[in-house]
Amino acid sequence: VLSVSRHVIIVAGGTGTRMRTKTAKQFLMIKGLPLMWWTLRRFQEATPDAPITLVLHESLFDEFRQLEAEHGPSGATSVVKGGAERFHSVLNGLITLPEEGLVAIHDAVRPLPSTDMIRQSFDTAALHGGAIPVVELTDSIRMVSSDTSISVNRSDYLSVQTPQSFDLSLLKPAYSTEFSPAFTDDASVFEASGHQVHHFPGDPINIKVTTPKDLVIAKALLGLS
């Protein structure tokens, strides 16, 4: 397990409209560094030998280079152009990787994965082919249909996080298919090609910074780390 080559794809293909700022959310400042720098540092610490491919929206390349000049290297080994959807961004990253080994795919705006979670993601994928971190829901949930909604059992559902890790020899062929709106994450592409994903425990702290409220929480949590 430990001798298999490991790779990381950090997905920052979007421009962050829900944050309601002019700055792309992966570049928002937290404790003196752009948010994405914190994310990449976690992976450098967890798997220092794994090269990191950053998938970035083409319109942000210049700003990214300016931020590296100002704040030092982000930790990315290479930078590739993002695509129209997450599926296309991940595909652009995968094309640059070898046919064999393991890859962990992670959201640039999740700056708080623990090093243990990152390593467990890789190790679980090495054993099972595909691995996703999940957390149980704590809120009550309802299923909406047209103009009404019904209460459903939250224990029937899990919330999915990243990093999602896979055997490259299985994942790369899975991405040779056409894009479908059903592909909400990498695991859904993997499953569509007939493979099973294995769950491992995620962490409620491993939040995705999508809204202004998330940014406040991330700043507080990184202040404690």
Side-chain angles (χ1 to χ4, degrees), residues 146-168:
S146 63
D147 58 350
T148 184
S149 68
I150 57 167
S151 178
V152 293
N153 188 347
R154 69 181 173 218
S155 65
D156 290 339
Y157 298 88
L158 292 166
S159 181
V160 180
Q161 302 181 331
T162 66
Q164 300 185 1
S165 294
F166 305 92
D167 183 322
L168 278 164

Side-chain angles (χ1 to χ4, degrees), residues 41-74:
R41 283 182 174 194
R42 292 292 174 106
F43 281 85
Q44 287 178 295
E45 187 181 340
T47 52
D49 295 332
I52 298 174
T53 301
L54 173 64
V55 187
L56 190 64
H57 195 275
E58 194 174 18
S59 67
L60 300 175
F61 274 32
D62 287 345
E63 187 178 356
F64 173 70
R65 280 191 280 267
Q66 289 167 7
L67 288 169
E68 283 209 312
E70 189 176 340
H71 299 286
S74 65

